[in-house]
Amino acid sequence: MNIDLTQVDAIVARVGTDANLTIPVLQEVQEAFRYIPLEAIERIAATTDMTESQLYGVATFYAQFRLAPVGEQIIKVCHGTACHVGGAEGLTESLETRLGIRNGENTPDMKYTLEAVACVGCCSLAPVVMVGERTFGSLDRRKAAAIVDELEERKDAK
Amino acid sequence: MTAQTQIIIGMSTCNIAAGAQDVLHLIENRVAADGLDARVSVMGCLGMCYCEPQVKVIDPDGTAHVYTRVTPRRMERILADHVAGGQPRQPWIANFREGAEHDLMDKQQRIVLGNCGHVNPDDINDYIAREGYQALEKVLAQNDPEALIEEVQNSGLRGRGGAGFSTGLKWRFARNNRGDKNYVICNADEGDPGAFMDRTTLESDPHLVLEGMAIGAFAVGADEAYIYCRAEYPMAIARLERAIAQAEERGYLGQGILGTDFSFRVHVKEGAGAFVCGEETALIASIEGQRGMPRSRPPFPAEAGLFGKPTTINNVETWSNIPWIVRNGAAAFGALGTEKSKGTKVFALAGKIKHGGLVEVPMGITLHEIIHEIGGGTNSGRPVKAVQLGGPSGGCIPAHMFDLRIDYDEVTRTGAIMGSGGMVVMDDTTCMVDVARYFLNFTQLESCGKCTFCRVGTTRMLEILTRICEGEGVPEDIERLEHLAHQVKHTSLCGLGQSAPNPVLTTLRYFRDEYEEHIFAKHCRSGKCRNLCSYEITDNCTGCLICKKDCPVNCIEGARKQKHVIDQDACIRCGVCRDVCKFDAVIVK
Ligand SMILES: Cc1cc2nc3c(=O)[nH]c(=O)nc-3n(C[C@H](O)[C@H](O)[C@H](O)COP(=O)(O)O)c2cc1C
Ligand code: FES
């Protein structure tokens, strides 16, 4: 895939070239491209003190980084302890059925990605699902699937 | 200043998740449109997350009323009746007044959370008005780091991040090792799933953490700091950054603080999602831009830490205790708690609990008091089975041991750990073997892979636990698990591996019968392990149709007012029918 390397250069110019800046640089790259293209890693290595192996090592170590494209909206089902006890598995199952994909996959139209995460810090509302900045709490199977209906409606309204 | 009504809305992650944003919009629009004589501001979390969003209305005479579960519609009524009409809407007001009655607050003692819900986290003036930065002024005026460290040591404060090491001793060690450049770090990684103490503190009272860090930096001779905050907490990060800018502007941080030659700069570093980065040496590697792999100690961070320099690392809550100790003295702090665990501890109550949220209690309080008297017991109305303390490094304490007193050593004796303060309550629908499997799955995924037993041992343990939960357990499995658990514990470099077996060992210790039932009787009494149970409807059924409607696979038959029947072949044993039944008519067989 061809990506706009000038964007990568701009990020490096903004964040810096020090070897200890791998995480902030990769975070900004992911922010810009929504994942980390391998071309971006090569470009950063060529223009900074960071090496390809260091960047790739960091990108694969931390859960936040993705090396493949994701859907427009990431539906994050919390599987922290409180949410697990509160039935998070059921929410994932229900969303899998609703979206027709398995946990961790993208829908074929690349609209949604279904992801399991650990604790988003709203345990008192368990079980919880996050989409973007929005948190949906006190869910059950039915309400979880209804989130997708709501997201679809919003899209139609746009 | 003429007294004005104040409307203060809770804007923390938990409040917003409960719908506070819409309420805030409504307040702002109405106050402007109706020309209400009221000042609108925001606060953090009061700790009662179970009844958010919350709005505090302070009458011109100073009386405060906390409204709970506020929706935009309720807010309209509150504005019309109370703010404009002077008639508080009593039924929606939490049945406690600040500083008065009510059990929820009675048993609490707030040192760390003292300002939560009382200050606008984005306004340094609020913090200053509540004795903020006075402790920093005091230590700079006294200009005696040795005496300060002595004071912190005498207070008996122990690290709140999990290990419980003496904070004063840690500082002394760092001071004795100090070189030309020294760092302090605030550990705000809060990786334990089910814990949100640090998030709430940072979101509700960021200046408290900064003041504690500045005092610590002065004590150990550091001039630069990093706050390592997990990326899942964007609001905490934003509020910290604002607080740092305000404190620099006022001269509480930055160059030449308060006219002295003490300088202190604070950076916020965003984590990238790795549990092991909460471990101090891994955290340091992460700030340096490396994979977050722990390394062996010594050298301790106090000798060679961040960029090889002496580094003092403490948890958010530990730092937050410091200003209070400096203001009130070591003796006052030491008067709280037990012989070896002083002060208070913040706990995040979650799981099957009625009053979920944050509580801050003096050490020495019993689990019963926290869970039943403050927490109100289960939200399901079912009996409490156990409480999980300390996250993936901790363990499950059964309900019959709830007279246990909160104290580092007492908790450790049970096989659990005090941990950072996550407390997940479980009722009889929770399977303890499944809980052990859950945590092993977590630690196995989060193991950095450096130590063989942590990497492979946890995987083997997870395989055994999964097999037991799926009904394929064999008689030797319990012994194998115990054997592996001890090996993983004793051959891992860092706390992750050393403590990963704790959830298995504690459940084996207190709930061994459940393991045996899974293996020998092929039965899961809580109805969680699908291959090992079936759901049945008893004569209690009134034929209300609710379970039939909610069943995700439509496997419940029955007409209105007739006893329903589950088609066992189609049933996926998800337990929804039991959860929704109001007549206890669904049982696990
Ligand atoms: C796997 C692992 C995860 C940890 N996670 C955290 C954490 O999220 N927050 C924290 O404050 N300490 C955590 N710790 C403890 C730190 O290593 C360290 O002890 C602590 O930050 C010291 O601060 P304190 O003395 O104020 O507790 C973790 C330790 C281990 C082994
Ligand atoms: S466990 Fe899901 S938000 Fe904490």
Side-chain angles (χ1 to χ4, degrees), chain B residues 21-43:
Chain B
Q21 197 75 54
D22 291 342
V23 180
L24 176 62
H25 281 313
L26 180 111
I27 297 173
E28 284 174 341
N29 290 340
R30 276 289 182 284
V31 168
D34 303 350
L36 288 175
D37 184 26
R39 192 171 77 96
V40 179
S41 79
V42 304
M43 60 181 179

Side-chain angles (χ1 to χ4, degrees), chain B residues 307-318:
Chain B
F307 304 118
K309 306 292 182 193
T311 301
T312 308
I313 173 163
N314 280 119
N315 163 264
V316 171
E317 191 181 329
T318 314

Side-chain angles (χ1 to χ4, degrees), chain B residues 159-161 170 187 190-191 275 278-280 313-315 318 495-496:
Chain B
R160 301 294 194 238
K170 191 187 269 190
N187 190 340
E190 190 148 80
F275 171 67
E279 197 279 335
E280 54 191 26
I313 173 163
N314 280 119
N315 163 264
T318 314
L496 191 148

Side-chain angles (χ1 to χ4, degrees), chain B residues 158-165 167 170 187-192 198 275-281 283 297 313-316 318-319 393 420 494-497 499:
Chain B
R158 295 169 66 170
R160 301 294 194 238
F165 190 77
T167 306
K170 191 187 269 190
N187 190 340
D189 198 40
E190 190 148 80
D192 286 358
D198 296 348
F275 171 67
V276 71
C277 285
E279 197 279 335
E280 54 191 26
T281 60
L283 187 152
R297 300 169 300 181
I313 173 163
N314 280 119
N315 163 264
V316 171
T318 314
W319 291 120
S393 317
S420 59
C494 88
L496 191 148
S499 62

Side-chain angles (χ1 to χ4, degrees), chain A residues 78-84 118-124 126-128, chain B residues 193-196 438:
Chain A
C78 177
H79 282 252
T81 319
C83 292
H84 177 77
C119 195
V120 294
C122 296
C123 321
S124 45
V128 172
Chain B
F196 50 99
Y438 166 80

Side-chain angles (χ1 to χ4, degrees), chain B residues 229-479:
Chain B
C229 187
R230 63 194 302 236
E232 287 86 342
Y233 292 174
M235 177 178 279
I237 293 170
R239 290 204 171 143
L240 270 173
E241 280 172 347
R242 237 166 290 159
I244 291 168
Q246 287 177 359
E248 282 179 353
E249 208 171 284
R250 294 295 188 91
Y252 294 115
L253 291 179
Q255 278 309 103
I257 293 171
L258 299 170
T260 65
D261 57 8
F262 171 55
S263 298
F264 184 50
R265 282 181 39 229
V266 182
H267 315 275
V268 181
K269 200 87 179 176
E270 208 176 297
F275 171 67
V276 71
C277 285
E279 197 279 335
E280 54 191 26
T281 60
L283 187 152
I284 287 170
S286 181
I287 296 181
E288 291 171 349
Q290 308 295 332
R291 289 160 71 97
M293 314 264 269
R295 60 157 176 77
S296 62
R297 300 169 300 181
F300 286 92
E303 303 157 81
L306 185 60
F307 304 118
K309 306 292 182 193
T311 301
T312 308
I313 173 163
N314 280 119
N315 163 264
V316 171
E317 191 181 329
T318 314
W319 291 120
S320 301
N321 273 291
I322 300 295
W324 194 95
I325 293 173
V326 169
R327 285 200 312 271
N328 298 282
F333 191 81
L336 296 169
T338 64
E339 199 197 333
K340 291 207 176 123
S341 303
K342 299 297 189 191
T344 60
K345 179 77 195 86
V346 182
F347 289 103
L349 276 178
K352 302 273 165 104
I353 185 92
K354 199 164 177 187
H355 300 150
L358 281 196
V359 300
E360 183 174 353
V361 287
M363 298 275 192
I365 195 172
T366 64
L367 278 176
H368 177 87
E369 286 172 283
I370 297 177
I371 290 164
H372 290 285
E373 293 177 29
I374 301 178
T378 58
N379 54 1
S380 56
R382 309 183 76 101
V384 178
K385 185 179 202 171
V387 63
Q388 211 282 341
L389 239 62
S393 317
C396 295
I397 300 177
H400 69 81
M401 288 171 65
F402 279 7
D403 53 358
L404 180 82
R405 288 149 76 76
I406 293 296
D407 169 295
Y408 285 97
D409 311 287
E410 299 261 322
V411 176
T412 305
R413 219 163 289 142
T414 66
I417 60 162
M418 177 86 104
S420 59
M423 232 184 222
V424 181
V425 175
M426 297 162 179
D427 66 11
D428 63 351
T429 64
T430 311
C431 168
M432 302 318 283
V433 187
D434 174 71
V435 167
R437 187 197 56 79
Y438 166 80
F439 280 114
L440 249 290
N441 182 49
F442 181 88
T443 36
Q444 181 265 331
L445 281 171
E446 294 292 343
S447 166
C448 79
K450 186 165 177 164
C451 308
T452 312
F453 269 92
C454 179
R455 182 181 69 244
V456 186
T458 55
T459 309
R460 291 290 97 84
M461 287 176 76
L462 175 62
E463 283 167 4
I464 297 176
L465 288 162
T466 305
R467 161 164 100 214
I468 298 176
C469 289
E470 287 175 352
E472 309 289 326
V474 293
E476 305 83 75
D477 277 347
I478 292 181
E479 218 172 290

